Amino acid sequence: AQSVTQPDIHITVSEGASLELRCNYSYGATPYLFWYVQSPGQGLQLLLKYFSGDTLVQGIKGFEAEFKRSQSSFNLRKPSVHWSDAAEYFCAVVLNAGNNRKLIWGLGTSLAVNP
Amino acid sequence: DTAVSQTPKYLVTQMGNDKSIKCEQNLGHDTMYWYKQDSKKFLKIMFSYNNKELIINETVPNRFSPKSPDKAHLNLHINSLELGDSAVYFCASSSPYNTGELFFGEGSRLTVL
């Protein structure tokens, strides 16, 4: 069955440190790939997306993600984390089955930032 | 102007009551969704409407009934509320359908006592 895996349930980093959040998917073809962020008490906001082309995509708030087909991964990175980045991060994929597109969500990674 | 707005933001009610959550989007999108987020932050799609037509109806108890009077509005009515209905309910919209680029409301936190 198609699935999205975020192996890290919770990550803590120090402010100013680099960050990498992992996302893997299981699907035969290349799906559309997304990262969303949910700040405390807020709705989800799209950080970045990958449809095709350059496998390194830039998003908002200084985030980037790299699609690696060989690893079925789409990891999210940020070179220097700010305290305001503390949030829940969701990876999601859209499986393209003709007109029957299906959006599948990972379980999320909770990011805490130490001062 | 808020793109996707939900009301109320908080709802506290007793078991057995009926309640509604309203959602409106001013983005001109064709598709609207209701998601349920539980206490572990797990997101579950409940319903999806495309141009007022029900597209997705996941295995949700029939106590939950969506209604889309027009493509800018998608309301959620819940009958006979149960303790397990306590969650945050998110409305979202997209255009076209299910491209993955969703715009979310801020959520409605429902607490059933």
Side-chain angles (χ1 to χ4, degrees):
Chain A
Q2 300 97 350
S3 65
V4 177
T5 303
Q6 293 181 245
D8 305 303
I9 296 172
H10 187 87
I11 285 183
T12 300
V13 299
S14 297
E15 191 167 18
S18 63
L19 171 70
E20 181 168 33
L21 302 182
R22 296 182 291 164
C23 175
N24 295 92
Y25 63 90
S26 69
Y27 182 54
T30 299
Y32 295 167
L33 299 156
F34 306 84
W35 276 99
Y36 281 82
V37 61
Q38 183 181 21
S39 297
Q42 301 294 312
L44 283 77
Q45 181 184 21
L46 180 65
L47 276 177
L48 45 76
K49 64 191 179 200
Y50 173 79
F51 287 173
S52 65
D54 192 346
T55 56
L56 183 64
V57 294
Q58 303 297 320
I60 62 172
K61 302 178 190 272
F63 285 92
E64 67 178 25
E66 186 172 13
F67 168 57
K68 292 186 177 180
R69 186 190 308 274
S70 61
Q71 298 176 20
S72 296
S73 69
F74 188 55
N75 294 348
L76 182 70
R77 300 195 294 247
K78 186 168 185 178
S80 177
V81 169
H82 188 261
W83 64 266
S84 61
D85 293 324
E88 192 82 20
Y89 291 81
F90 293 92
C91 181
V93 305
V94 168
L95 309 178
N96 299 301
N99 290 327
N100 199 19
R101 287 190 290 263
K102 190 174 179 181
L103 177 59
I104 298 180
W105 294 87
L107 296 182
T109 297
S110 178
L111 174 66
V113 180
N114 286 334
Chain B
D1 259 0
T2 304
V4 181
S5 59
Q6 304 178 220
T7 54
K9 193 172 170 78
Y10 299 96
L11 196 50
V12 180
T13 189
Q14 300 286 329
M15 270 175 44
N17 284 349
D18 303 338
K19 290 294 176 187
S20 293
I21 307 172
K22 296 186 175 182
C23 179
E24 176 181 4
Q25 54 97 1
N26 62 9
L27 298 168
H29 287 167
D30 294 327
T31 308
M32 296 184 72
Y33 312 79
W34 277 112
Y35 276 87
K36 179 180 180 180
Q37 187 176 50
D38 63 21
S39 57
K40 294 186 178 178
K41 303 288 186 181
F42 177 62
L43 273 170
K44 178 182 156 82
I45 180 73
M46 299 175 70
F47 301 103
S48 169
Y49 269 74
N50 189 44
N51 275 321
K52 302 197 298 172
E53 181 186 347
L54 182 63
I55 301 296
I56 292 176
N57 183 359
E58 292 291 317
T59 50
V60 174
N62 58 15
R63 298 181 296 103
F64 290 80
S65 53
K67 182 169 275 190
S68 182
D70 55 62
K71 71 176 193 177
H73 296 83
L74 181 62
N75 304 324
L76 183 66
H77 188 76
I78 316 170
N79 289 327
S80 304
L81 279 156
E82 301 178 356
L83 293 176
D85 298 332
S86 295
V88 181
Y89 293 85
F90 286 101
C91 178
S93 72
S94 74
S95 192
Y97 167 67
N98 236 5
T99 57
E101 295 187 68
L102 270 56
F103 290 77
F104 282 83
E106 292 195 339
S108 297
R109 180 176 292 277
L110 171 65
T111 303
V112 182
L113 303 174

